[in-house]
Amino acid sequence: MAVHPGMMIKPELEERGISQKEFAKILGTQPSHLSEVLNGKRALTTELAVKIENAIGLPAKILLSAQTQYELESTNNSTLTDDNQHETIAVTIPVRDRNLLRELVRKFGWACML
């Protein structure tokens, strides 16, 4: 499960005893903007990620990677329709694991094609 980068930054600030308002001032951004990023309501930009790296040492590459993964997962989840259509994937399970296959079909409501 992907995590919004704000969820990585927020605990770091708390551990260092830096308030969001103080950190926003250090970064040169509005406190409301930073709050939205830290609470996962706004995407982390490259510019802000670099400023965060310079300020507290959290690597911008890691933060931006987390942002990308979060966006990809959010996009994939939002493509499911309301009429319970789901993505179809192929799973190959060895014949010796038929009981596992039966359990997965029962537990998750998978359709099984042999």
Side-chain angles (χ1 to χ4, degrees), residues 4 6 9-10 13 18-44 48 52:
H4 190 280
I9 302 164
K10 207 172 188 179
L13 295 178
I18 302 171
S19 71
Q20 288 183 26
K21 187 174 182 179
E22 186 181 350
F23 195 52
K25 187 175 182 180
I26 291 168
L27 298 176
T29 191
Q30 293 294 318
S32 59
H33 178 89
L34 179 63
S35 177
E36 289 176 350
V37 171
L38 295 181
N39 291 307
K41 295 178 181 178
R42 183 185 290 248
L44 177 70
L48 188 56
I52 291 168

Side-chain angles (χ1 to χ4, degrees), residues 92-105:
T92 303
I93 298 176
V95 173
R96 68 180 177 273
D97 292 331
R98 285 183 194 243
N99 289 335
L100 172 62
L101 176 60
R102 286 187 190 112
E103 181 63 21
L104 292 172
V105 168

Side-chain angles (χ1 to χ4, degrees), residues 49-101:
V50 169
K51 287 180 179 183
I52 291 168
E53 179 176 19
N54 291 335
I56 61 173
L58 284 176
K61 285 183 180 181
I62 291 174
L63 296 173
L64 292 170
S65 177
Q67 180 66 50
T68 300
Q69 290 301 315
Y70 180 80
E71 289 173 5
L72 285 170
E73 189 169 297
S74 296
T75 300
N76 287 338
N77 288 339
S78 68
T79 59
L80 295 177
T81 61
D82 291 334
D83 60 356
N84 291 326
Q85 291 181 351
H86 298 281
E87 181 179 359
T88 300
I89 58 169
V91 177
T92 303
I93 298 176
V95 173
R96 68 180 177 273
D97 292 331
R98 285 183 194 243
N99 289 335
L100 172 62
L101 176 60

